[in-house]
Amino acid sequence: MATVIIGSQWGDEGKGKITDYYSKKADYIVRFQGGNNAGHTVVVEDKTFKFRLIPSGAVSGKKVVIGNGTVVDPEILIEEISELEKEGIPVKLYLSERAHVIMPYHKLQDSLEESLKGNLKAGTTGKGIGPCYQDKVGRFGIRFVDLLDKEVFKEKLSLFMSMKEALFRAHNQPFRLTINEVFEAYNKYADYLRKYVTDTSLLVNAALQEGNHVLLEGAQGTHLGIDHGIYPYGTSSNCVAGAACTGAGISPLSIKQVLGIVKAYTTRVGTGPVPTELEDEVGTYLRDRGGEYGTVTGRPRRCGWLDMMLLKYSHRVNGFTGIAITKLDVLNGLETVKVCTHYMVGNNPLYEFPASMKTLAQCNPVYQEFPGWRFDPEQVAKSGFNALPEAAKKYINFISHQLAVPVYVVSVGPARHQTLILREVFS
Ligand code: GDP
Ligand code: IMO
Ligand code: MG
């Protein structure tokens, strides 16, 4: 059976930590969308791993799959494999032959397009994610199966690079890449990665049929997704549970659990309206206590109160069977904790998350207030959920009741043991 882990907000909810926990009982961990725009942190004792492409389950030595729905920068992937091997962790990796390859021109195009977009720029990670997905949909992308065949690769590269050169010329921008240099460099990557490349859909389906546990690790978050996110400020892949089927090549019927990861407050790295953003000392408090700086880019994350409007929309499009509430400890010490229940646009209440960014920018959050709490994460980690202060339990129960979804996990710190497990996803 398969379980999908999904970010319910704007990314960085703690997907890496929760994936690492549930990896213990999983046989395969699969990434199905996104690329190295993701930064998933796993803390194991005194070591901190920041995964970009390789699924977080690699720390547990499990079989890890990079599915067809991802976009892969081979240079970064090789770096990541080497780093793990240096740590003495064997990388049991399977890379989809259908995954698309991020090329050097995608990264150049990423910064060119951002500079052209003015107020509509997303504040991308600059990793070439958007341009690679554009080429995939435009049907002039390069897949790993193409990269591994020198003849096919040369033919595609020559054609596509001339198209890119024309694009840069049209914008009066330099384009200093040469076909030969890129061909040589990418042939080296191909030779290194060849042994990992396979039909991963075949592999994962066979694993499911044999009764294995498959954990599908989403990247980004629902509100960054291309269909359901804050368009055009999000990313270029779908970040919802349904994308796990297309992105891993499995049937929707094999997915038995959809676990939504809910950070106990809101963060956003990038542009666009964030209705519950706090630009005061409480926002700074959350950023400092939560270490809210981008895992990939180091940018300070915009912080604010929890927003049920985001969560309800996420639940609607993902169908969460359970939620994991993370970073509860970060709210420790606040006198009052607020949750946005709906928005006001002028004098009109709004109960559903809007599609229009113009409307979203006009949304004023309406808050329900909760008395704050303080607990010692170490003591709670030892004694369990019941040791949490009543006020914190009330907050957790409110979120759960509003969504009508049970809580599977409450996370009270970055470390593995600072995890309160209420339910397992694999029996
Ligand atoms: P991801 O992209 O969803 O995997 O999340 P990131 O790794 O980008 O960001 C989450 C950050 O919060 C990481 O630094 C984690 O180590 C940390 N973290 C995860 N869970 C908790 C928690 O419950 N409490 C605290 N204080 N930190 C946490
Ligand atoms: P994880 O998996 C938070 C944001 C970028 C930018 C927008 C588009 O760690 O949760 P892109 O480079 O994808 O074209 O950028 O999406 N973004 C993320 N924000 N967490 C992420 O991943 C993100 N991946 C992309 O900041 O606003
Ligand atoms: Mg992250």
Side-chain angles (χ1 to χ4, degrees), residues 11-17 38-43 48 50 56 217 220 261 263 289-292 295 301 325-330 411-415 418:
D12 305 324
E13 296 91 350
K15 298 175 292 293
K17 173 179 166 164
H40 294 181
T41 315
V42 177
V43 179
T48 299
K50 291 180 188 290
S56 304
E217 178 182 4
Q220 288 78 56
I261 315 301
K263 193 185 280 192
R289 285 186 51 91
E292 297 296 354
T295 310
R301 295 176 184 149
I325 299 177
T326 61
K327 304 193 90 159
L328 188 71
D329 55 302
V330 175
S411 174
V412 293
Q418 293 169 322

Side-chain angles (χ1 to χ4, degrees), residues 16 34 71 86 106-107 114 126 141 152 200 227 237 247 253 267 313 349-350 398 427:
V71 288
K86 244 185 260 154
H106 289 138
K107 290 177 251 185
E114 280 281 278
V152 174
T200 51
D227 275 69
S237 65
L253 299 177
T267 61
Y313 186 96
L350 193 63
F398 176 80
S427 40

Side-chain angles (χ1 to χ4, degrees), residues 140-400:
F140 43 93
I142 294 172
R143 301 167 303 163
F144 275 89
V145 70
D146 306 323
L147 178 68
L148 294 188
D149 183 322
K150 281 196 169 77
E151 213 179 307
V152 174
F153 179 45
K154 187 75 184 246
E155 187 193 351
K156 291 198 171 185
L157 185 70
S158 308
L159 178 64
F160 301 158
M161 271 192 60
S162 63
M163 290 164 70
K164 296 294 174 185
E165 197 170 7
L167 173 76
F168 278 75
R169 208 180 318 118
H171 288 289
N172 273 325
Q173 291 299 312
F175 187 77
R176 298 202 180 87
L177 300 170
T178 68
I179 294 171
N180 276 346
E181 272 169 12
V182 176
F183 184 68
E184 289 303 315
Y186 273 64
N187 271 333
K188 288 206 181 98
Y189 300 147
D191 290 340
Y192 186 102
L193 292 172
R194 189 176 300 275
K195 66 172 187 267
Y196 301 110
V197 178
T198 187
D199 182 341
T200 51
S201 162
L202 194 63
L203 176 87
V204 176
N205 275 284
L208 285 168
Q209 248 161 30
E210 285 160 17
N212 286 287
H213 291 162
V214 174
L215 194 55
L216 297 138
E217 178 182 4
Q220 288 78 56
T222 301
H223 288 272
L224 286 174
I226 189 72
D227 275 69
H228 294 290
I230 46 165
Y231 191 89
Y233 303 112
T235 192
S236 299
S237 65
N238 259 303
C239 309
V240 292
C245 302
T246 50
I250 58 169
S251 160
L253 299 177
S254 54
I255 296 173
K256 300 290 181 282
Q257 300 260 20
V258 180
L259 189 66
I261 315 301
V262 177
K263 193 185 280 192
Y265 50 95
T266 300
T267 61
R268 163 83 178 114
V269 53
T271 59
V274 176
T276 64
E277 182 171 11
L278 295 166
E279 288 175 286
D280 57 7
E281 66 283 0
V282 181
T284 308
Y285 185 86
L286 296 175
R287 186 175 310 111
D288 290 347
R289 285 186 51 91
E292 297 296 354
Y293 295 88
T295 310
V296 175
T297 58
R299 290 177 288 178
R301 295 176 184 149
R302 302 159 67 191
C303 298
W305 297 120
L306 185 73
D307 189 346
M308 289 310 299
M309 293 286 277
L310 289 179
L311 297 188
K312 282 188 205 161
Y313 186 96
S314 281
H315 179 41
R316 165 151 52 95
V317 297
N318 287 297
F320 296 138
T321 54
I323 53 172
I325 299 177
T326 61
K327 304 193 90 159
L328 188 71
D329 55 302
V330 175
L331 296 175
N332 264 343
L334 291 165
E335 209 165 293
T336 304
V337 177
K338 298 185 189 179
V339 178
C340 168
T341 52
H342 59 283
Y343 300 145
M344 290 299 289
V345 182
N347 291 324
N348 302 316
L350 193 63
Y351 294 99
E352 297 298 340
F353 197 84
S356 156
M357 290 303 108
K358 195 167 149 189
T359 306
L360 189 64
Q362 293 163 355
C363 285
N364 289 312
V366 178
Y367 290 116
Q368 181 155 337
E369 296 194 7
F370 293 80
W373 60 79
R374 189 188 287 278
F375 61 81
D376 171 7
E378 280 307 301
Q379 199 249 317
V380 166
K382 257 189 228 122
S383 315
F385 182 84
N386 282 332
L388 281 171
E390 282 312 311
K393 284 189 208 161
K394 205 171 154 197
Y395 186 72
I396 292 166
N397 288 336
F398 176 80
I399 301 168
S400 174

Side-chain angles (χ1 to χ4, degrees), residues 18 45 73 92 190 195 248 358 421 424:
I18 304 300
E45 285 151 20
D73 185 329
K92 300 174 193 158
K195 66 172 187 267
K358 195 167 149 189
I421 301 294
E424 294 290 340

